[in-house]
Amino acid sequence: GFARPLNALRSVQRRFQALLYRPALMLLPLVGFLLGGRLTREGLAAHGREVLWISASVVGVTALVVAGGLWLVGVAPALALLFGGIATATDPAATADVVRQYRARGPFTDTLGGIVAIDDAWGLVAFSVLLALASLLLGSGDGTSVLLGAGRELVGSILLGAVIGVPAAYLTGRLRAGEPTLIEALGVVFLCAGLAERFELSFLLAAMTLGATIANLAHHHERPFHEIEDVEWPFLVLFFVLTGAALELDGIGDVLGLTALYIALRSVGRVLGSWPGARLAGAKTTTRRWMGFAMLPQAGVANGMALVAGNAF
């Protein structure tokens, strides 16, 4: 007796998902832009070698452990590569909230702040490459064309973000002294995202490059695009609501085992990945031991990568 109304409810859910899928994707440039805004020369210079070595090491080891571990237990190679790419993302907001809650200060938290800012930059690059390799494994093109396409996407996205970011850094914030208006900020971000979509580039990477360019060049701003930072949380809440609307409740039971394995492998990759980078950078024992644990949070960027992967396949 309940079959008909349940089927009708599922039909409504599918239509709702289809309606909201594209808006959810278009919220991702804001996430990428805010990540890029953390990549300032001052921040990177202050933390030096540790930030670069540890972040690159954690991203590489995490992708290898997750993709390799899932492949060894029988997950399809293309899907394992996609999970490996998604696993590289870290959530800077959650990490910053914990540091703020405990009022933590010192070299460890300074290094952690620099790492989570640049970590997602490495992660987006790794994800783009693994996405191309997954496409190759699924027969979406020959090896040369797929890899050339990945290179074109990476270089093109960075160039697009820089080309829009340079004039935006000098022109925004002039209409109202001190800070850009909300319309200016959103207009530049969505212009970048729209052009990236038009030229089949990564709007996440392009928006992140845009944010980094403006953060380093817009010296007449107290903080680059303070207006967007003021509306960050409403956009992120909306993003998670739209992402949750795409959750297939009927399939949760089928992926519980895969979910638990993904979490375990990613945790191992994070903890192990921090050691070689910290050692090469000459970091203290405390940093080697605990940095991987401090980089476990994962949220918006990982959801964004999953949406991009789902849209590609």
Side-chain angles (χ1 to χ4, degrees):
F2 290 101
R4 182 171 295 178
L6 284 177
N7 288 335
L9 185 60
R10 290 192 182 98
S11 177
V12 171
Q13 182 193 25
R14 282 192 291 270
R15 292 180 183 179
F16 185 62
Q17 291 168 358
L19 178 66
L20 297 181
Y21 193 76
R22 295 297 298 174
L25 280 176
M26 290 312 297
L27 290 174
L28 295 180
L30 293 174
V31 177
F33 177 81
L34 293 171
L35 282 174
R38 297 185 175 97
L39 300 178
T40 61
R41 286 190 299 268
E42 294 79 7
L44 294 176
H47 310 298
R49 294 177 53 189
E50 292 185 11
V51 170
L52 295 176
W53 279 110
I54 295 176
S55 60
S57 174
V58 168
V59 166
V61 173
T62 300
L64 183 63
V65 169
V66 173
L70 292 177
W71 175 70
L72 288 175
V73 299
V75 175
L79 186 59
L81 286 175
L82 292 175
F83 275 118
I86 294 170
T88 60
T90 309
D91 182 33
T95 306
D97 284 344
V98 172
V99 171
R100 190 181 305 113
Q101 177 182 348
Y102 286 95
R103 296 181 175 87
R105 297 288 185 274
F108 182 89
T109 52
D110 290 341
T111 303
L112 175 62
I115 289 173
V116 297
I118 199 173
D119 173 71
D120 283 320
W122 296 122
L124 285 172
V125 173
F127 174 73
S128 298
V129 173
L130 293 175
L131 188 68
L133 291 176
S135 178
L136 174 62
L137 290 175
L138 291 174
S140 301
D142 64 89
T144 303
S145 64
V146 170
L147 291 178
L148 286 176
R152 171 190 170 279
E153 181 177 343
L154 289 174
V155 175
S157 301
I158 293 172
L159 285 176
L160 176 63
V163 166
I164 297 177
V166 172
Y170 292 103
L171 295 176
T172 55
R174 306 291 184 182
L175 297 179
R176 179 188 299 172
E179 294 293 344
T181 66
L182 181 60
I183 298 301
E184 283 182 282
L186 292 178
V188 170
V189 173
F190 285 122
L191 171 65
C192 180
L195 289 175
E197 183 83 359
R198 170 66 180 82
F199 295 113
E200 298 182 347
L201 302 174
S202 169
F203 49 75
L204 266 174
L205 191 56
M208 189 178 68
T209 305
L210 173 68
T213 303
I214 294 176
N216 285 282
L217 296 181
H219 300 298
H220 61 288
H221 298 166
E222 292 180 10
R223 288 186 299 168
F225 282 5
H226 178 62
E227 295 286 350
I228 281 187
E229 292 179 349
D230 284 342
V231 297
E232 175 183 6
W233 281 112
F235 274 108
L236 288 178
V237 169
L238 182 58
F239 171 72
F240 281 114
V241 170
L242 296 178
T243 305
L247 181 64
E248 294 286 352
L249 298 178
D250 294 340
I252 290 180
D254 298 331
V255 296
L256 284 179
L258 179 62
T259 302
L261 182 59
Y262 168 82
I263 293 172
L265 288 171
R266 182 178 179 274
S267 300
V268 171
R270 297 263 111 177
V271 174
L272 292 181
S274 64
W275 276 86
R279 193 172 186 85
L280 287 170
K284 296 180 180 179
T285 304
T286 305
T287 302
R288 301 181 195 176
R289 183 178 300 154
W290 298 113
M291 189 59 70
F293 290 96
M295 297 176 68
L296 288 179
Q298 188 169 50
V301 178
N303 263 352
M305 290 177 174
L307 281 172
V308 170
N311 193 46
F313 304 104

